[in-house]
């Protein structure tokens, strides 16, 4: 379990990093290394060059503004999880991050790295998709912003080009009348989930006026389903059951070592009910000024 | 003796070192700045489960800079080219097979060693391994017990039916007893594969010293003496030329008792060939695919019983998946077949097993070694009888217990050590009473109702076991009091973190009357104690503990003899307290001599190197008319002794668990775990409880998380800790209720029994019992007959046993 030979560069400036990346089609970005290094050690990946971005300046920031949260490429999961600003502006990010791996891995792993790694079993890609966020990326030919809806191409496949470095992820903040919920079922604490779900519910008074549920590990990319219609304005056993059935029409849960497809479908139903309930309660609580 | 340490919760002397990262494992050996010459080995392993090797081409490797050696079977000669030893032959093991150090002509599992490379570092060695080209002719793989039993294909051409062994034992006429019993039932029960998975994998370092002609080998083993003998024999060396040292071992749990691993021979051979230090440290994937597994068995039970649930006849057939080879003989299935009986005395018992080959990693004992399967079979049977009769599960067990006045109890069978299966002592009814109180058995129905009102499902289960511990043939000990007064103790078996340095020091401190902090224990170093067996089968405390006790008493005899001479007193009037020998009843300081001084007096060569030597000048000992070392004496203050028991001593215990199963997600949560444990007299209750807690944690893994997932082509698809779900600390109960019972063993001087494996034995049984109990009211007929069980599997079981009438409805949120 030792990596195959590779060249290693640790640029001090972004331009230098982008050039190094552009110069070698076999190069890969190294951020926290929590996904990449195991792949290298198992020789499942053998990039010719590693462009270590950890020395780049000004990428470790977590900034909030009126619109939401900007997370820099070198901000670690642990820092984002601990941020009171993040929790206030978009509590779904905090809720979901507490399910990402274990403390030691969160200390090194980056939230942006996790998003561009595009694992359908990972929490943060789904959260970005559910919230309608985006990622800003740079290459030697310039900078562009990719909306979450255009980011996840397939299992472990994002639409970043090989020569692009993600600089920042943007998570829109919680809107007026909104509440959020997140829950997952994993075999062990901190494992990738068998199925996970997050919900954003918007209320006016007691009535649900908009609701979306995002799923991880239920298809080969994160999937967001608008369940406003099946809820019909209320959160009840029958309305969330309908939401779960609708969601299943958009999902394709697979069988693997740890769960049958039927079990995953069951988890989709159960978690849809649970996260919609939680998000609805959260929205009502916030409306009453409790959160 | 002032304060007796036996039975005290003495903190482990090992922990400071381990917790501060100062443990010294094989991979830490020879890494210092002076170790620039260490070379590293890597192994090419078969990617196929079953194939003939047509050709191996190493030409791409030979020229790589930094590669020192590439070997295939063709490069081996003499004993090294022969199959590895079959350690424990058995007359019924009619078709035993072992692998070669490097595969010869054929590979029989994914992971089997094919070529061995030594290079400047492990990176290079792995690059080189990647460049070796092997052409194979594929053979159909046999995977899983169904495939092995079906025998459509054979693992070894010359082993018909894939049957390595068939063994039958019977006490009474079980089939007749069943035929005439008022009630009968039958059960099919399976257990899947798991493995020891110590956090430190296997590793070996060897240094050949051409100046002295000695080979020193450090290896992560459970038996240094065994590895030493194997290396000497295979490398054609004299035993006296080979030293094997076992440093700290990061877990063994059975897998490191098998020996020699191919690398344990190839590394010293390479060291001698190259004249360089060579190191092999396996990685996690290698451990999964090329060490050993255990537990995979299928069982069929027929039982006949009376109205009280008393078993009149029990007939068990089972099939044991031994993987591709049988280096460890039939130990695991023999243990299942005998220890299945637990604390019970069926009227008649017959057991037949077949040990079968598959194209998978071989099977050797893993903590519990066949007992978890046996316990699971017996306890599932007890639960089934209780359910059929509508009786409380504890009542059925009580009806079958061996009673306290029936010891020694002979089951009329032969145990793994070739001796009669005869229990020495125990008190099972008392254990059950304690367990019921500890877990709240009688209060549980009320708790269940209360939970049901909150739409929560809970269940309770229990399981009982008896464990033969402390198997022979022997262990030895050497105790040496140095002139500083410090006591150095050596025993040959190895240590994998159990706390031997603590409990053995307690024993010596008591026997000699010295301070605990002055006793230092060395294990697993053949230079210090060349006669030893190893650490397995819960035997260290019983075997080495007893030997150390005896050796310390011998040393004490010599201390008293010399001190009596020096103090001009009678031995009977002397006592040793805190390392000082004095005449009983005399005031402090008068008529006394400390142990260091006695040590000086024991050796007629007396250079005054230290204070003790000077202090000794005031005494004279020995008979001036005789030689300085008398005919029947030796210089030095040492004692050596061996302990060799007639047969194993039988520990016992009972576990109970309360689980909660989620009605929607089928997740399984542990609410309470209770253990009553009887390992005879406790040397150190804290260490025993640590062993129990570790065992329970490992048992939770085996019952709810871990399995070896082979696909039909024989690939182990979960060969990493990402997919092989060893439980984290978050998955095991944070608290375990433990109560002890102490029925001393009459077989050894300290009355102790083994405790190392116990915690893991009843896990599958107790969880199956509790989960079934939680589910039964909602899904009639749902029986747990395959372990481990995951939430997904429980969900599928529920689907297969739909509620007859809707007993619950989802509440609105
Ligand atoms: C035991 C374990 C358990 C885990 N459990 C979970 C879990 O439950 N949920 C979860 O979501 N994750 C989990 N992870 C993964 C963890 O969250 C990683 O931190 C994360 O997936 C990747 O972040 P990283 O910074 O470590 O990226 P790296 O490993 O450095 O890189 C990952 C990939 O992204 C690319 N990359 C990284 N940053 C950039 C960038 N700025 N621009 C362009 N490309 C980039 C790399 O080239 C590489 O291909 C786990 C990891 C481990 C080891």
């Amino acid at each position: 379990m030792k990596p195959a030979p590779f060249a290693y560069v640790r640029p001090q400036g972004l331009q230098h990093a982008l050039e190094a990346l552009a110069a070698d089609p076999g190069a890969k970005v190294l951020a926290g290394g929590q996904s990449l290094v195991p792949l290298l050690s198992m020789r499942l990946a053998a990039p010719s060059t590693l462009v270590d971005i950890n020395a780049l300046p000004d990428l470790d920031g977590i900034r909030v503004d009126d619109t939401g949260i900007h997370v820099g490429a070198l901000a670690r999961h642990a820092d984002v999880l601990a941020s009171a600003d993040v929790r206030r502006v978009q509590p779904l990010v905090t809720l979901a991050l507490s399910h990402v791996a274990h403390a030691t891995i969160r200390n090194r792993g980056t939230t942006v790295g996790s998003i561009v790694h595009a694992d359908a079993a990972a929490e943060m890609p789904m959260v970005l998709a559910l919230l309608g966020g985006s990622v800003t990326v740079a290459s030697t030919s310039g900078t562009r912003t990719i909306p979450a809806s255009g980011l996840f191409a397939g299992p472990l496949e994002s639409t970043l080009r090989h020569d692009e470095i993600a600089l920042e992820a943007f998570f829109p903040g919680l809107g007026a009348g909104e509440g959020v919920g997140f829950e997952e079922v994993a075999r062990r604490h901190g494992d990738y989930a068998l199925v996970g779900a997050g919900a954003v519910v918007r209320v006016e008074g007691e009535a649900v006026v908009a609701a979306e549920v995002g799923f991880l590990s239920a298809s080969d990319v994160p999937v967001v389903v608008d369940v406003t219609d099946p809820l019909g304005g209320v959160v009840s056993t029958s309305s969330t059951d309908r939401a779960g059935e609708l969601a299943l029409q958009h999902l394709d849960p697979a069988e693997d070592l740890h769960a049958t497809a039927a079990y995953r479908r069951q988890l989709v139903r159960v978690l849809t009910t649970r996260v919609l309930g939680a998000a609805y309660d959260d929205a009502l609580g916030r409306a009453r000024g409790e959160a | 003796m002032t304060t007796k340490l036996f039975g005290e919760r003495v903190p482990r002397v090992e922990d400071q070192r381990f917790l501060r990262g100062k443990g010294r494992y094989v991979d830490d050996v020879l890494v210092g700045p002076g170790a620039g010459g260490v070379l590293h080995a890597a192994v090419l392993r078969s990617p196929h489960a079953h194939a003939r090797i047509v050709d191996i081409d190493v030409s791409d490797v030979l020229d790589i800079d930094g590669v020192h050696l590439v070997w295939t079977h063709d490069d081996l000669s003499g004993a090294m080219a022969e199959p590895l030893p079959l350690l424990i032959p058995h007359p019924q093991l009619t078709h035993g097979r072992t692998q070669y150090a490097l595969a010869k002509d054929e590979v029989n599992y994914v992971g089997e060693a094919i070529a061995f490379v030594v290079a400047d570092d492990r990176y290079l060695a792995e690059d080189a391994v990647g460049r070796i080209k092997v052409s194979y002719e594929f053979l159909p793989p046999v995977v899983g017990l169904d495939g092995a039993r079906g025998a459509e294909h054979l693992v070894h051409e010359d082993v018909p039916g894939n049957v390595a062994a068939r063994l039958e034992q019977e006490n009474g006429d079980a089939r007749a007893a069943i035929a005439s019993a008022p009630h009968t039932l039958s059960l099919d029960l399976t257990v899947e594969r798991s493995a020891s998975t110590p956090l430190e994998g296997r590793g070996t370092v060897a240094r050949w010293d051409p100046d002295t002609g000695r080979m020193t080998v450090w290896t992560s083993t459970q038996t240094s003496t065994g590895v030493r003998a194997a290396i000497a024999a295979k490398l054609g060396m004299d035993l006296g030329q080979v030293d094997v040292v076992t440093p700290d071992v990061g877990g063994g749990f059975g897998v490191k008792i098998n020996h020699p691993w191919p690398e344990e021979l190839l590394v010293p051979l390479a060291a001698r060939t190259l004249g360089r230090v060579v190191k092999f440290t396996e990685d996690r994937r290698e451990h999964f695919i090329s060490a050993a597994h255990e537990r995979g068995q299928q069982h069929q039970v027929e039982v006949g019983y009376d109205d009280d649930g008393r078993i009149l006849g029990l007939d068990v057939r089972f099939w044991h998946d031994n993987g591709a080879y049988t280096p460890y003989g039939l130990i695991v299935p023999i243990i299942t077949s005998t220890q299945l009986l637990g604390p019970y005395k069926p009227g008649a018992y017959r057991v037949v097993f077949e040990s079968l080959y598959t194209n998978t990693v071989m099977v050797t004992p893993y903590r519990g070694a066949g007992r978890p399967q046996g316990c699971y079979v017996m306890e599932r049977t007890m639960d089934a009888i209780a359910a059929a009769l509508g009786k409380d599960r504890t009542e059925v067990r009580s009806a079958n217990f061996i009673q306290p006045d029936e010891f020694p109890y002979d089951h009329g069978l032969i145990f793994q050590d070739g001796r009669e299966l005869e229990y020495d002592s125990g008190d099972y009814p008392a254990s059950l009473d304690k367990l019921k109180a500890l877990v709240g058995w009688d209060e549980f129905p009320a708790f269940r109702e209360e939970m049901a009102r909150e739409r929560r499902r809970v269940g309770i289960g229990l399981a009982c076991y008896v464990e033969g511990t402390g198997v022979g043939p022997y262990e030895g000990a050497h105790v040496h009091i140095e002139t500083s007064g410090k006591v150095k103790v050596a025993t040959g078996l190895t240590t994998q973190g159990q706390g031997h340095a603590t409990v053995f020091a307690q024993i010596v401190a008591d026997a000699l009357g010295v301070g605990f902090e002055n006793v230092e224990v060395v294990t697993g170093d053949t230079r210090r104690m060349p006669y030893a067996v190893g650490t397995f089968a819960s035997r260290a405390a019983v075997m080495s503990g007893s030997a150390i006790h005896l050796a310390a008493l011998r040393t004490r005899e010599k201390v008293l003899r010399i001190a009596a001479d020096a103090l001009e007193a009678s031995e009977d009037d002397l006592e040793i307290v805190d390392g000082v020998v004095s005449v009983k009843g005399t005031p402090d300081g008068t008529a006394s001599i400390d142990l260091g001084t006695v040590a000086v007096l024991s050796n007629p060569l007396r250079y005054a190197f230290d204070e003790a030597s000077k202090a000794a000048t005031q005494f004279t000992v020995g008979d001036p008319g005789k030689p300085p070392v008398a005919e029947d004496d030796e210089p030095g203050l040492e004692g050596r002794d061996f302990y060799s028991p007639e047969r194993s001593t039988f520990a016992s215990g009972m576990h109970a668990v309360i689980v909660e199963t989620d009605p929607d997600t089928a997740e399984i949560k542990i609410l309470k775990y209770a253990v009553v444990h009887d390992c005879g007299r406790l040397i150190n209750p804290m260490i025993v409880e640590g062993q129990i807690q570790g065992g329970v944690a490992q048992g939770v893994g085996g019952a709810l998380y871990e399995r070896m997932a082979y696909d039909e082509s024989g690939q182990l698809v979960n060969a990493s800790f990402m997919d092989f779900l060893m439980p984290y600390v978050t998955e095991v109960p944070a608290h375990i209720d433990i109560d002890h019972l102490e029925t001393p063993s009459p077989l050894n001087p300290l009355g102790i029994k083994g405790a190392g494996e116990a915690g893991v034995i009843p896990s599958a049984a107790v969880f199956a019992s509790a989960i079934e109990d939680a589910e039964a009211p909602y899904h009639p007929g749902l029986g747990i007959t395959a372990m481990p069980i995951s939430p997904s599997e429980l969900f599928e079981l529920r689907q297969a046993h739909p509620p007859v009438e809707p007993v619950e409805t989802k509440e609105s949120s």
Side-chain angles (χ1 to χ4, degrees):
Chain A
M1 280 205 196
K2 302 290 182 202
F6 56 84
Y8 172 81
V9 289
R10 189 179 166 92
Q12 308 292 314
L14 180 61
Q15 193 56 31
H16 186 179
L18 294 174
E19 282 162 15
L21 207 51
D24 180 357
K28 263 214 166 286
V29 171
L30 174 69
Q34 298 304 292
S35 296
L36 185 53
V37 171
L39 292 172
L40 296 180
S41 292
M42 290 187 268
R43 299 199 177 202
L44 294 172
S48 41
T49 305
L50 283 191
V51 180
D52 182 345
I53 62 169
N54 284 281
L56 298 186
D58 309 323
L59 283 183
D60 60 355
I62 302 167
R63 193 166 50 80
V64 299
D65 60 23
D66 294 348
T67 57
I69 308 163
H70 304 262
V71 177
L74 291 175
R76 311 292 156 172
H77 290 311
D79 300 325
V80 184
L81 178 58
S83 162
D85 282 343
V86 168
R87 181 189 304 268
R88 179 171 47 78
V89 173
Q90 183 44 272
L92 184 61
V93 170
T94 310
L95 275 181
L97 265 174
S98 67
H99 292 271
V100 174
H102 313 269
T104 44
I105 289 151
R106 292 196 296 262
N107 284 341
R108 284 174 181 266
T110 63
T111 302
V112 170
S114 161
I115 290 168
V116 299
H117 190 56
D119 191 332
E123 288 79 3
M124 300 322 285
M126 184 277 271
V127 168
L128 193 84
L130 174 58
L131 295 174
S134 60
V135 170
T136 303
V137 304
S139 69
T140 47
S141 44
T143 302
R144 63 180 180 129
T145 296
I146 312 172
S149 57
L151 187 60
F152 304 110
L156 297 176
E157 194 188 336
S158 77
T159 55
L160 258 71
R161 288 199 318 265
H162 144 266
D163 61 345
E164 287 178 321
I165 294 179
L167 301 180
E168 171 181 299
F170 170 68
F171 298 94
L174 196 67
E178 285 181 351
V180 293
F182 185 93
E183 196 171 327
E184 65 178 43
V185 172
R187 284 297 272 121
R188 300 172 297 186
H189 289 76
D191 278 355
Y192 283 106
L194 297 176
V195 172
V200 180
V201 169
R202 187 149 52 86
V203 296
E204 279 175 19
E206 305 250 302
V208 175
V209 295
E212 283 189 313
V213 185
F215 296 92
L216 55 102
S217 287
S219 277
D220 57 15
V221 290
V223 172
V224 178
V225 182
D226 188 324
V227 295
T228 316
D229 277 354
L231 287 188
V234 296
V235 169
S236 66
T237 309
S238 54
S239 80
T240 58
D241 278 355
R242 285 195 303 270
E245 293 309 324
L246 174 68
L248 281 171
Q249 291 173 22
H250 295 264
L251 299 169
D252 185 17
E255 165 150 6
D256 65 10
L257 275 182
H258 306 299
T260 61
Y263 179 61
R264 282 208 162 83
R265 283 196 292 275
Q266 166 75 358
L267 293 183
V268 166
R269 292 186 194 98
V270 174
L271 292 180
T272 301
T273 297
R274 289 184 183 173
V275 294
L276 283 171
Y280 180 65
D281 291 345
D282 185 48
L284 293 184
R286 285 173 196 278
R288 289 193 298 266
E290 284 166 9
Chain B
M1 273 165 270
T2 39
T3 44
K4 204 157 166 302
L5 291 176
F6 193 106
E8 291 299 310
R9 294 176 172 270
V10 178
R12 294 173 17 128
V13 295
E14 294 90 341
D15 288 343
Q16 284 293 332
R17 213 157 49 76
F18 289 153
L19 294 177
R20 289 173 195 275
K22 297 272 167 62
R24 200 172 150 77
Y25 303 89
V26 167
D27 199 44
D28 302 320
V29 170
L30 296 177
V31 290
V38 177
L39 302 178
H40 294 262
V43 177
L44 171 69
R45 301 186 183 281
S46 174
H48 305 295
H50 200 190
R52 242 174 235 119
I53 299 173
V54 180
D55 182 54
I56 307 177
D57 177 2
V58 298
S59 53
D60 281 358
V61 179
L62 296 169
D63 309 331
I64 303 179
D65 230 15
V67 171
H68 295 258
L69 170 157
V70 188
W71 281 339
T72 66
H73 186 270
D74 283 349
D75 300 294
L76 305 178
S77 60
M80 276 299 291
E82 284 161 21
L84 297 177
L86 203 164
L87 292 169
I88 310 179
H90 189 284
Q92 253 61 56
L93 180 55
T94 49
H95 293 76
R97 296 289 180 273
T98 58
Q99 71 182 82
Y100 293 86
L102 293 170
K104 179 173 188 275
D105 305 333
E106 188 176 323
V107 283
N108 282 305
Y109 63 93
V110 172
E112 185 161 355
I114 294 176
F116 183 75
V117 175
V118 179
D120 281 345
D121 58 48
R122 171 84 183 195
Y123 293 81
L124 268 177
E126 286 189 23
D127 294 347
V129 160
R131 295 214 210 167
I132 300 172
K133 296 194 202 85
V134 184
S135 37
Y136 300 94
E137 181 189 322
F138 299 116
L139 298 169
V142 179
V143 183
L145 275 168
D146 291 334
R149 288 172 64 182
E152 196 185 318
H153 302 293
L154 298 181
V155 175
H156 302 287
E157 242 169 26
D158 56 349
V159 179
N162 292 315
V163 181
R166 184 180 182 281
L167 186 65
E168 176 168 349
Q169 294 206 65
E170 184 157 18
N171 184 20
D173 186 343
R175 282 161 292 186
I178 295 167
S180 60
H183 312 278
T184 60
L185 61 82
S186 53
L187 283 168
D188 283 340
L189 298 161
T190 63
V191 180
E192 289 202 40
R193 272 194 177 205
S194 186
S196 303
T197 53
L199 285 189
E200 184 205 21
R202 294 169 302 165
T204 302
V205 183
R207 180 171 63 197
W208 166 247
D209 183 347
D211 297 330
T212 57
R214 293 192 79 79
M215 176 75 76
T216 310
V217 178
W218 293 260
T219 190
S220 191
T221 185
Q222 292 176 233
T223 171
S224 345
T225 45
V227 174
R228 181 192 191 208
I231 291 172
K234 286 286 191 181
L235 270 60
M237 299 173 72
D238 297 337
L239 194 62
Q241 285 179 283
V242 181
D243 300 318
V244 173
V245 183
T246 304
D248 288 328
V249 174
F253 309 113
V255 67
K256 292 175 183 170
I257 188 60
N258 187 61
H259 64 281
W261 294 102
E263 299 83 5
E264 279 175 330
L265 301 175
L266 293 164
V267 166
L269 185 62
R272 195 177 64 184
T273 306
L274 297 169
R276 299 278 297 270
V277 175
V278 178
K279 178 182 279 189
F280 169 75
T281 304
E282 78 175 351
D283 64 36
R284 185 53 55 186
R285 181 172 160 76
E286 288 184 289
H287 188 80
F288 272 108
I289 64 170
S290 66
H293 301 164
E294 209 231 273
R295 302 272 199 270
Q297 289 184 176
Q298 297 178 342
H299 315 78
Q300 277 177 4
V301 181
E302 300 281 334
V303 63
Y305 51 97
D306 66 15
D307 294 343
D308 297 326
R310 195 172 297 117
I311 295 180
L312 305 173
L314 178 64
D315 187 11
V316 178
R317 298 188 55 169
F318 71 95
W319 293 266
H320 169 81
D321 175 355
N322 62 226
Y325 299 104
T326 52
Y328 217 75
L330 298 177
I331 293 298
V332 172
I334 290 180
I335 294 179
T336 297
S337 65
T338 46
Q339 297 261 271
L340 184 150
L341 293 171
Y344 312 114
K345 43 171 184 183
Y349 175 54
R350 171 179 177 261
V351 61
V352 189
F353 70 77
E354 282 180 355
S355 189
L356 298 168
Y357 286 108
T358 57
N359 288 110
T360 59
V361 174
M362 66 196 192
V363 164
T364 65
Y366 157 36
R367 193 178 195 174
R371 295 178 188 86
Q373 299 94 311
C375 176
Y376 162 74
V377 169
M378 192 68 188
E379 296 297 307
R380 290 278 66 205
T381 304
M382 287 290 171
D383 285 351
I385 294 172
L389 292 174
K391 283 187 169 297
D392 185 282
R393 284 167 286 168
T394 61
E395 265 177 58
V396 171
R397 285 168 171 84
S398 294
N400 285 286
F401 279 153
I402 296 164
Q403 295 303 309
D405 58 4
E406 291 178 286
F407 293 96
Y409 187 87
D410 187 348
H411 274 292
L413 303 173
I414 300 298
F415 191 43
Q416 59 150 326
D417 52 6
R419 305 289 175 114
E420 301 77 29
L421 183 70
E422 183 186 293
Y423 293 178
D424 51 335
S425 63
D427 189 344
Y428 311 135
S431 276
L432 185 60
D433 287 346
K434 275 178 179 277
L435 185 75
K436 286 174 75 172
L438 197 61
V439 74
W441 185 268
D442 293 334
E443 296 76 38
F444 184 75
F447 176 65
R448 189 205 298 274
E449 270 177 41
E450 184 192 326
M451 290 291 102
R453 282 196 291 274
E454 296 173 25
R455 203 180 160 266
R456 292 172 65 183
R457 287 184 195 180
V458 293
I460 193 168
L462 87 161
C464 314
Y465 67 91
V466 169
E467 184 198 358
T469 69
V471 292
Y474 71 86
E475 274 316 318
H478 179 253
V479 173
H480 178 197
I481 302 176
E482 297 192 347
T483 56
S484 61
K486 292 203 171 121
V487 185
K488 306 292 170 180
V489 182
T491 188
L493 53 64
T494 62
T495 293
Q496 303 108 42
Q498 293 93 337
H500 293 157
T502 305
V503 290
F504 293 160
Q506 287 177 251
I507 290 173
V508 171
D510 278 356
L512 276 181
V514 297
F516 172 78
E517 61 288 349
N518 285 327
V519 185
E520 185 193 86
V521 178
V522 167
T523 56
D525 185 337
T526 60
R527 297 169 304 187
R528 298 286 298 275
M529 173 45 79
Y531 293 99
V533 181
T535 300
F536 56 94
S538 305
R539 66 191 295 283
V542 176
M543 302 300 300
S544 276
S546 298
I548 285 169
H549 175 72
L550 296 174
L553 291 181
R554 274 196 194 281
T555 317
R556 180 189 174 86
E557 277 170 31
K558 186 159 185 185
V559 167
L560 294 181
R561 173 159 59 78
I562 295 169
D565 192 359
L567 297 173
E568 295 172 15
S570 150
E571 286 176 37
D572 298 340
D573 293 337
L574 298 180
E575 60 179 1
I576 316 177
V577 176
D578 286 341
V580 178
V581 193
S582 56
V583 181
K584 284 180 216 161
T586 54
D588 270 3
T590 64
S592 72
I593 180 169
D594 61 37
L595 285 176
T597 309
V598 180
V600 174
L601 296 175
S602 73
N603 183 353
L605 181 68
R606 255 179 244 161
Y607 295 128
F609 287 138
D610 55 16
E611 291 306 315
S613 313
K614 288 178 207 155
T617 53
Q618 56 179 308
F619 300 103
T620 44
V621 292
D623 184 339
K626 286 193 181 160
V629 178
E631 211 169 277
D632 54 354
D633 206 358
E634 295 174 0
L637 204 48
E638 300 180 47
R640 186 165 127 126
D641 210 339
F642 290 83
Y643 170 68
S644 179
E646 227 174 288
R647 57 171 55 88
S648 298
T649 170
F650 287 80
S652 65
M654 301 180 185
H655 291 201
V657 67
I658 298 177
V659 299
E660 175 169 5
T661 56
D662 187 300
D664 301 321
T665 64
E667 287 168 286
I668 300 157
K669 204 160 97 189
I670 301 166
L671 300 185
K672 188 178 177 73
Y673 202 105
V675 176
V676 173
H677 187 253
D678 183 353
C679 59
R681 292 183 62 208
L682 296 164
I683 307 171
N684 184 328
M686 188 167 71
I687 284 181
V688 171
E689 285 163 18
Q691 289 293 314
I692 292 171
Q693 273 157 2
V696 168
Q698 212 159 18
V700 167
L704 302 179
Y705 294 96
E706 301 169 353
R707 73 185 67 213
M708 291 295 167
Y710 275 100
D711 67 14
E712 69 265 19
S713 68
Q715 297 291 337
L716 183 61
V717 295
N718 63 342
S720 81
F721 278 145
M722 186 139 152
D723 284 319
F724 177 90
L725 307 178
M726 181 193 277
Y728 301 129
V729 67
T730 37
E731 278 57 59
V732 300
H735 178 78
I736 299 170
D737 293 295
I738 300 176
D739 199 356
H740 298 284
L741 188 73
E742 295 189 62
T743 49
S745 170
L747 299 179
N748 62 67
L750 298 169
I752 51 187
K753 302 180 176 184
E757 295 167 280
V760 85
I761 295 172
S763 315
V766 76
F767 280 104
S769 181
I771 294 167
E772 189 175 287
D773 186 51
E775 296 293 313
Y778 303 94
H779 298 273
L782 187 158
I784 310 283
T785 57
M787 289 298 277
I789 185 166
S790 68
S792 179
E793 286 160 329
L794 179 56
F795 170 77
E796 298 293 339
L797 274 179
R798 286 177 179 174
Q799 300 298 102
H801 297 88
V804 192
E805 56 202 49
V807 288
E808 54 190 355
T809 46
K810 255 196 227 166
E811 279 159 33
S812 310
S813 356

